Amino acid sequence: MIAVGAASALAVTALAAPAQSADAGATNVQADVNVAKNAGFESDLSNWTCAENSGAAVTSPVHGGTKALKATPSGQGTAECSQVVKVRPNSTYKLSSWVQGSYAYLGARGTGTTDVSTWTPGNSAWQQLSTSFTTGANTTSVTVYTHGWYGQSAYYVDDVNVFGPDGGGGTDPVELPAVPSGLAAGTTTSTSVDLSWTPVSTATAYTVYRDGTKVASTSGASTTVTGLTPETTYSFQVSASNAAGESAKSTAVSARTGKGGGGDGGTVPKHALTGYWQNFNNGATVQKLQDVSSQYDIIAVSFADATTTPGQITFNLDPAVGYPSAADFKADIAAKHAAGKSVILSVGGEKGTISVNSDASATAFANSAYALMQEYGFDGVDIDLENGLNPTYMTKALRQLAAKAGSKLVLTMAPQTIDMQSTSGGYFQTALNVKDILTVVNMQYYNSGSMLGCDGKVYSQGNVDFLTALACIQLEGGLDPSQVGIGVPASTRGAGSGYVSPSVVNNALDCLTRGTGCGSFKPSKTYPSLRGAMTWSTNWDATAGHAWSNAVGPKVHSLP
């Protein structure tokens, strides 16, 4: 049999007098406590009994904390879950809970007076049920319960409260946590806002509200709210929860998201210096992004990581870099944006295993890359796949990403010399396929060996002719000069071979843009809009006292 009949029988008893013990005088009134234990189901079903194993603790949806009760009725049962609570005789208790789903009931029986219940026919959002009961002269325990209805879908319950005098069974804990204070908005991107607040000592979880709607739950005193609309002002609040229930919401704080299109970085200048920043320690100077020289216009964070899903990428901040938290890393990206720099995520590297060779993997790449742009504020991606790529599907992936990120997407590539010897190569094909959204190709003029120049002659690495004759292939093969850059190591330790001094790089830049400083090879024309130069890496540059960026940076920025 069910505990409650038809809705007409569910009248709510009128509130009795304020709770106090049966023998209490005017000077001995006790403060209300929540006599229900594990009221938020944070300890799964501890202290609760669910008929026919119909209930379970779940992590979504939840009202407060990190868990809630989900119970599923059968055709012959209502999935009742109940708890016996200790109460004091002749005392009034306020019974409430938050529910969601079909036909959720809340009630109390064995009160010694009039048993009570209340219900809702169903709601897709959390709503609160509440009633109250008064215990009889000899009542020391009461069964509180919740259930659904025969053959209906699952119902959810969270934050059950039975407030009144402690009946001797204790409470878990004695009282609700305090309202969080110190809520503040930190780093913002076009689609996210970082929030933090002062921890509450008795809280086990926090709930974040955006414009009054719950959007996140967390166990720590900070979170990042994502999925926001660019250039929009939002109001945020946070509440604290424990087994007693949820506190009131904090004072609201407002934050406005940035402009759309990637991570809100500045437009890449006509002539730009690119540097790869190492998210690991390999003996070069360990840097935070804030330590990267201001000469660099594009900073390529190295590297994205592969997941078990083909094409999908993620990013894992290496503890060796020394950031206390991801929020600090994001703040450094925002600071570089404020200085007019672009920060992108490099995909691949020597040991990269990302493969995009199907429609599904192309979509996975685009979706995951854009999600990382939203989360961290990256302005785009760098394609540094040194084990080859499929031009058909990489083109699809990059076009899908561009459709999501908009016109401010920064898209760079770092092919090896062998990849750009002919327009029939996969890398060169991809670059030409996405020419309308491509920022720059910074070919790696190192770790190469001898290669053909655009005049058909063989050139050995390590001199100005190698740089200019190989750049000529891209310049005459279909790329715009603004999409061509010269990539070299920052020091002799930055690569196995191919290092040239900064003066050689500067001569090559002059040769290609002005027709001066050339070696034996001199191009048939100049390319004044050449984008600039790139180095591996900002860390090796710092190890060498920033000699590379201090010399090449001013040259790039003074190109015609």
Side-chain angles (χ1 to χ4, degrees):
M1 295 291 291
I2 62 170
V4 181
S8 60
L10 302 180
V12 177
T13 353
L15 293 181
Q20 65 181 57
S21 62
D23 57 353
T27 60
N28 192 33
V29 177
Q30 291 187 333
D32 286 349
V33 297
N34 186 10
V35 297
K37 293 189 176 182
N38 189 27
F41 302 94
E42 300 303 304
S43 299
D44 297 324
L45 296 185
S46 176
N47 299 105
W48 292 90
T49 300
C50 293
E52 300 175 346
N53 297 316
S54 55
V58 296
T59 57
S60 178
V62 297
H63 175 261
T66 59
K67 295 180 182 179
L69 168 69
K70 175 184 179 181
T72 306
S74 66
Q76 301 298 319
T78 60
E80 179 179 294
C81 295
S82 62
Q83 178 180 155
V84 177
V85 299
K86 297 291 185 180
V87 294
R88 292 176 65 92
N90 296 330
S91 299
T92 297
Y93 292 83
K94 297 177 182 179
L95 173 64
S96 67
S97 70
W98 289 87
V99 298
Q100 184 180 140
S102 299
Y103 294 93
Y105 292 74
L106 175 69
R109 59 176 173 260
T111 62
T113 56
T114 301
D115 292 348
V116 297
S117 63
T118 183
W119 71 301
T120 176
N123 199 307
S124 59
W126 288 104
Q127 64 181 111
Q128 191 176 39
L129 295 177
S130 61
T131 183
S132 65
F133 62 88
T134 301
T135 57
N138 300 309
T139 304
T140 57
S141 65
V142 168
T143 299
V144 295
Y145 62 86
T146 182
H147 65 73
W149 197 251
Y150 302 100
Q152 298 297 314
S153 57
Y155 69 96
Y156 300 86
V157 179
D158 204 359
D159 299 329
V160 179
N161 295 310
V162 188
F163 279 102
D166 184 0
T171 180
D172 186 22
V174 173
E175 57 186 16
L176 289 170
V179 177
S181 61
L183 178 62
T187 301
T188 62
T189 70
S190 60
T191 57
S192 68
V193 173
D194 287 346
L195 298 173
S196 62
W197 53 90
T198 303
V200 177
S201 60
T202 59
T204 57
Y206 301 93
T207 301
V208 177
Y209 293 87
R210 182 193 69 215
D211 297 330
T213 300
K214 176 184 172 182
V215 293
S217 294
T218 180
S219 59
S222 64
T223 194
T224 300
V225 179
T226 59
L228 307 179
T229 301
E231 299 184 82
T232 303
T233 300
Y234 293 95
S235 176
F236 298 97
Q237 292 172 285
V238 63
S239 65
S241 299
N242 56 24
E246 182 181 8
S247 74
K249 299 182 184 72
S250 69
T251 300
V253 64
S254 295
R256 184 172 179 81
T257 52
K259 295 181 179 180
D264 308 319
T267 302
V268 176
K270 177 181 179 182
H271 300 297
L273 196 71
T274 301
Y276 285 78
W277 174 84
Q278 298 178 188
N279 180 40
F280 51 86
N281 181 2
N282 66 346
T285 298
V286 174
Q287 291 182 310
K288 295 181 179 178
L289 288 178
Q290 62 187 263
D291 302 322
V292 173
S293 168
S294 61
Q295 293 288 347
Y296 293 100
D297 305 292
I298 303 175
I299 303 168
V301 172
S302 310
F303 293 99
D305 298 308
T307 73
T308 56
T309 300
Q312 186 180 70
I313 62 173
T314 188
F315 178 71
N316 299 295
L317 190 62
D318 192 331
V321 179
Y323 276 103
S325 68
D328 295 283
F329 177 69
K330 295 173 187 177
D332 272 4
I333 292 177
K336 285 296 182 182
H337 288 160
K341 313 299 182 181
S342 296
V343 182
I344 61 178
L345 180 60
S346 184
V347 180
E350 178 185 1
K351 300 179 180 179
T353 59
I354 290 100
S355 178
V356 178
N357 54 18
S358 67
D359 285 325
S361 59
T363 299
F365 178 91
N367 289 344
S368 58
Y370 185 59
L372 292 170
M373 290 174 63
Q374 291 180 298
E375 180 178 359
Y376 288 92
F378 294 125
D379 298 286
V381 294
D382 167 68
I383 305 302
D384 184 16
L385 298 173
E386 299 184 10
N387 297 307
L389 53 75
N390 184 307
T392 298
Y393 294 108
M394 181 54 73
T395 297
K396 289 185 176 182
L398 295 176
R399 290 211 169 276
Q400 287 182 46
L401 177 59
K404 294 174 178 291
S407 61
K408 290 182 67 178
L409 174 72
V410 178
L411 173 59
T412 71
M413 295 183 176
Q416 300 173 99
T417 54
I418 191 66
D419 296 321
M420 302 299 285
Q421 284 280 280
S422 168
T423 55
S424 63
Y427 238 115
F428 214 143
Q429 286 183 44
T430 303
L432 294 175
N433 289 345
V434 297
K435 182 178 176 179
D436 57 314
I437 58 172
L438 178 65
T439 306
V440 62
V441 175
N442 291 303
M443 189 174 74
Q444 302 175 42
Y445 294 77
Y446 51 96
N447 293 339
S448 170
S450 299
M451 289 287 161
L452 291 172
C454 66
D455 58 357
K457 296 180 180 180
V458 177
Y459 292 92
S460 299
Q461 65 179 359
N463 55 64
V464 67
D465 287 335
F466 188 76
L467 304 181
T468 55
L470 269 67
C472 175
I473 298 176
Q474 300 170 58
L475 292 164
E476 295 300 315
L479 292 181
D480 188 87
S482 66
Q483 296 173 320
V484 177
I486 296 174
V488 295
S491 72
T492 56
R493 298 176 64 188
S497 64
Y499 171 77
V500 293
S501 68
S503 63
V504 172
V505 180
N506 288 348
N507 285 340
L509 293 170
D510 279 336
C511 178
L512 293 170
T513 59
R514 297 185 173 99
T516 62
C518 301
S520 61
F521 172 82
K522 187 170 183 177
S524 59
K525 63 181 179 180
T526 58
Y527 309 92
S529 61
L530 189 84
R531 179 67 76 173
M534 171 275 281
T535 195
W536 177 268
S537 62
T538 65
N539 304 75
W540 286 117
D541 183 30
T543 303
H546 303 284
W548 192 89
S549 58
N550 285 341
V552 180
K555 170 60 71 174
V556 166
H557 297 138
S558 67
L559 291 175

